[in-house]
Amino acid sequence: MKLLKPLLILITIIAFNRSFAQDIVKADPITSPLHKANIGRIVFMKDTIPMANTTTADFLTAVTLTPDANLTMRAFLPNSLTNLQHKLAPQQTVEQLNQGNYQFTYYVDGKQLYQENLHKGAGYAYLKNSRTVLTIKLLSNLHEDMWSRHMFSRFMMQGGEDALTTGSHTLKIELRPYVVLPEVKVGDLIAQGEIKVVVPVIDVHDKAIQPIKPNSGWPVSAERYDRSLITELNGKILQNKFKNINGIVVVKSGKLLIEEYFNGEGRDTLHDPRSVGKTFASAVMGIAINAGYIKSENQMLKDFYDLKAYQNYSPQKDSVTLKSLLTMSSVFDANDNDDNSPGNENNMYPLDNWVKFALDLRADAAKKPYTQWNYFTAGAVVLGDVLNKNVPGGLDHYADEKLFKPLGIVNYKWQYTPQHVPSTAGGIRLRAIDFARFGQLYKNNGKWQGKQILPEAWVQKTLTRYMALPADMVGPGYYGYLFWNKTYEVNGKYYETWYCTGNGGNKIFVFKNLPLVVVITASAFNESYAHAQVDKMMQQYILPAVAQ
């Protein structure tokens, strides 16, 4: 009897440990001969070919990086992610294990360049629990909104693009599981693979600086700049290192210095700049206030709307000013950067009345005006509606007569709300060199060719740091009247700029202490790299080339 009790304890411990070693969820069975032969391997393909139709002939040994390149990776795993995590943390439940994910590690030519513990929300929980084959797109000319493409873009932006110089390289990817204990614990290697990446040579004539053609409407600058940097930048755009860039226009001292176009666009292309168009509402508002059609930006929404006729009325909404909409600091329960926010712009677009959507929103009791910045596209729509109701002839006619014609802009195209009011949410299409006219107007303190189009006092108000941008924005910055503010550091020097910005990487930069306006048009819509790559272009190429 004395020996029996220790023996029972030993048997219990062994059984207990074995139970931890067993799978915690039922994974997809590994029955495919192709899977069995490649467990622990990552292979690359041109597309997401169904597993049942895949053969070794589909595996790529090399890929050429071009703007239309497609690249898919497939990892043949020994078990599902959740079961592999379970071996790391046998005490955790399935739900706790799902708080972890895969760790990706990227190497170029044997050097580790980037590592990412994939966010827990990437991939559905049921797939983490079941699948034993991970198939994801890394590059796609269809531009799908996929976590895998965004991750690959982060790798490229954080070292990949610089390492993948012209020529041939080896890209290697390693895959590991990780769990949160709450500290992060990373498991052993579960799959790896490599592929040759070829970065094509760009012909010297293709990347040469494009001559400025006549009839631009601008005097042409004879100032010197570092042409080798702009030539190098052109080459990287053509190599798809900087993706979906359509135009670069640089105006220095009021003269056209650089005018470059790519990816099928040219001088006469009307480009969609997305939210760059919001800033036109600020400009027209300043003109309308100066003319007396609107008393001031401190007027309240109750002066223009019967707010009690809309849903969720509260006295807090009565005090919402035009200024709070111009500075994105109103009390509306709205934040475009929060997918769960009631006022997110994506909730607005399917509706047939965007102004009603905005005014129906409740006021957030936790907010005070001018204290919290939240991006609020629907608020910019309300500004356009206020203008449309109060300027003679409506916003379309008034903007044409008081802003576009005085600037010499005759070729443009508004987008419209469902009520056929010009949409100040964004999207007004202009030529790149005409976006530069708009920027130069602010650089000139509201004057164009000697005529005061915008009141100088309005320009000064507009380019004032009213709101500090949230800490989770990319880098420190500030906000004015639908204008953004940041400072670039280049070779130890600081260059402050006010700028308009829109989805895809579209920018109009107006530099404070330089006689410089820079326009970048781009169509990297909804891509995680869109704005970061423009910052890189400015810091490494454009500013070093022209800020002399």
Side-chain angles (χ1 to χ4, degrees):
M1 290 295 292
K2 289 183 179 180
L3 291 173
L4 183 60
K5 188 172 182 180
L7 184 61
L8 288 172
I9 293 172
L10 181 61
I11 292 171
T12 302
I13 291 171
I14 293 171
F16 186 69
N17 288 336
R18 281 181 178 173
S19 69
F20 273 152
Q22 292 173 353
D23 290 347
I24 193 171
V25 291
K26 185 177 180 180
D28 295 337
I30 300 175
T31 57
S32 163
L34 188 68
H35 188 165
K36 291 179 179 179
N38 289 281
I39 287 178
R41 184 181 177 197
I42 292 174
V43 300
F44 299 89
M45 303 177 293
K46 287 185 179 179
D47 211 339
T48 50
I49 304 167
M51 184 66 185
N53 300 335
T54 304
T55 69
T56 55
D58 297 311
F59 299 170
L60 296 178
T61 58
V63 62
T64 301
L65 286 188
T66 60
D68 59 351
N70 289 307
L71 184 64
T72 292
M73 64 157 271
R74 174 168 286 163
F76 295 99
L77 305 176
N79 208 330
S80 71
L81 173 62
T82 306
N83 286 328
L84 294 166
Q85 292 171 311
H86 179 56
K87 294 179 181 179
L88 281 175
Q91 73 278 13
Q92 288 195 337
T93 66
V94 172
E95 290 72 21
Q96 290 171 322
L97 294 171
N98 288 162
Q99 300 304 300
N101 213 321
Y102 295 105
Q103 181 189 81
F104 282 79
T105 308
Y106 291 81
Y107 300 80
V108 173
D109 298 331
K111 181 181 179 181
Q112 179 179 324
L113 293 184
Y114 183 69
Q115 189 172 78
E116 178 175 327
N117 291 335
L118 197 61
H119 187 273
K120 64 181 181 180
Y124 295 110
Y126 78 91
L127 291 176
K128 295 180 184 180
N129 298 340
S130 62
R131 69 180 168 192
T132 52
V133 175
L134 175 66
T135 305
I136 55 174
K137 287 188 176 184
L138 303 177
L139 295 171
S140 173
N141 57 24
L142 298 178
H143 308 295
E144 302 97 327
D145 186 11
M146 294 178 170
W147 63 260
S148 55
R149 290 186 56 252
H150 296 314
M151 175 191 62
F152 193 77
S153 294
R154 289 190 289 274
F155 150 66
M156 291 293 281
M157 288 299 299
Q158 298 184 42
E161 285 167 350
D162 293 333
L164 293 170
T165 54
T166 300
S168 180
H169 303 271
T170 299
L171 170 67
K172 180 182 178 182
I173 299 177
E174 293 180 346
L175 202 59
R176 294 174 175 85
Y178 81 87
V179 294
V180 181
L181 295 176
E183 73 278 4
V184 172
K185 181 178 181 181
V186 181
D188 294 332
L189 184 69
I190 55 175
Q192 63 179 329
E194 60 183 47
I195 186 172
K196 186 168 98 172
V197 176
V198 178
V199 181
V201 175
I202 301 298
D203 188 278
V204 65
H205 297 293
D206 292 334
K207 64 182 181 181
I209 293 171
Q210 300 167 24
I212 295 175
K213 297 178 181 178
N215 303 317
S216 68
W218 290 89
V220 177
S221 175
E223 286 199 40
R224 292 177 176 270
Y225 63 93
D226 190 333
R227 299 176 70 88
S228 65
L229 278 175
I230 301 303
T231 300
E232 185 180 347
L233 174 59
N234 288 354
K236 287 186 178 291
I237 292 170
L238 294 171
Q239 285 179 323
N240 210 36
K241 296 294 189 65
F242 296 120
K243 304 173 186 64
N244 300 299
I245 301 299
N246 301 112
I248 300 172
V249 173
V250 178
V251 174
K252 191 171 185 183
S253 301
K255 296 181 179 180
L256 186 57
L257 182 67
I258 296 171
E259 186 184 13
E260 303 279 331
Y261 298 103
F262 310 92
N263 294 315
E265 292 201 3
R267 175 183 286 175
D268 292 328
T269 300
L270 294 181
H271 184 84
D272 179 2
R274 300 294 171 92
S275 287
V276 165
K278 285 182 171 70
T279 314
F280 287 82
S282 176
V284 180
M285 183 65 72
I287 296 170
I289 289 173
N290 187 61
Y293 296 114
I294 293 170
K295 293 178 183 178
S296 83
E297 68 270 34
N298 294 311
Q299 276 195 272
M300 300 178 185
L301 287 186
K302 67 179 182 180
D303 297 334
F304 305 101
Y305 301 98
D306 178 8
L307 295 176
K308 292 181 180 179
Y310 293 88
Q311 296 176 22
N312 298 307
Y313 170 75
S314 71
Q316 202 178 3
K317 288 167 73 170
D318 280 338
S319 61
V320 173
T321 63
L322 301 180
K323 181 177 179 178
S324 71
L325 298 180
L326 286 164
T327 56
M328 300 278 185
S329 61
S330 72
V331 297
F332 281 108
D333 186 7
N335 183 358
D336 288 352
N337 294 323
D338 179 1
D339 291 339
N340 297 316
S341 170
N344 186 289
E345 65 178 313
N346 292 324
N347 298 325
M348 174 184 74
Y349 294 124
L351 304 179
D352 60 5
N353 191 322
W354 298 354
V355 174
K356 184 178 185 302
F357 165 81
L359 299 182
D360 277 345
L361 292 169
R362 72 177 182 90
D364 185 341
K367 286 185 178 181
K368 294 182 179 179
Y370 313 120
T371 60
Q372 180 175 338
W373 185 90
N374 289 126
Y375 200 63
F376 182 28
T377 293
V381 171
V382 171
L383 291 172
D385 191 64
V386 168
L387 286 167
N388 191 63
K389 285 177 163 62
N390 289 276
V391 297
L395 176 55
D396 203 334
H397 173 77
Y398 191 76
D400 188 63
E401 292 295 321
K402 300 298 182 180
L403 180 63
F404 294 120
K405 281 182 180 176
L407 282 175
I409 298 173
V410 296
N411 192 8
Y412 65 94
K413 186 177 181 180
W414 284 104
Q415 290 185 354
Y416 291 87
T417 71
Q419 279 63 51
H420 203 69
V421 174
S423 174
T424 46
I428 184 171
R429 297 172 185 255
L430 277 75
R431 303 184 304 164
I433 55 172
D434 289 336
F435 284 122
R437 289 172 183 250
F438 183 73
Q440 189 66 35
L441 177 66
Y442 283 86
K443 186 64 192 170
N444 295 345
N445 286 315
K447 285 186 177 180
W448 181 258
Q449 296 181 347
K451 181 180 178 181
Q452 196 77 42
I453 296 173
L454 272 179
E456 184 173 352
W458 183 258
V459 173
Q460 298 308 315
K461 285 182 178 181
T462 299
L463 307 185
T464 296
R465 293 176 170 183
Y466 295 104
M467 302 296 301
L469 296 177
D472 59 355
M473 301 290 288
V474 179
Y478 301 89
Y479 205 73
Y481 284 179
L482 299 180
F483 256 95
W484 304 64
N485 174 272
K486 72 189 308 178
T487 299
Y488 284 111
E489 181 182 359
V490 179
N491 298 326
K493 295 182 179 180
Y494 295 90
Y495 302 103
E496 183 182 343
T497 182
W498 288 91
Y499 64 106
C500 322
T501 183
N503 189 345
N506 292 285
K507 311 283 181 180
I508 304 174
F509 293 103
V510 182
F511 283 85
K512 183 176 180 180
N513 297 316
L514 289 173
L516 200 63
V517 171
V518 178
V519 170
I520 295 177
T521 56
S523 52
F525 300 123
N526 301 315
E527 297 286 3
S528 58
Y529 59 78
H531 299 296
Q533 72 173 0
V534 171
D535 284 339
K536 190 173 182 180
M537 289 167 59
M538 293 296 293
Q539 288 180 296
Q540 296 188 8
Y541 297 95
I542 297 174
L543 282 172
V546 304
Q548 300 174 1

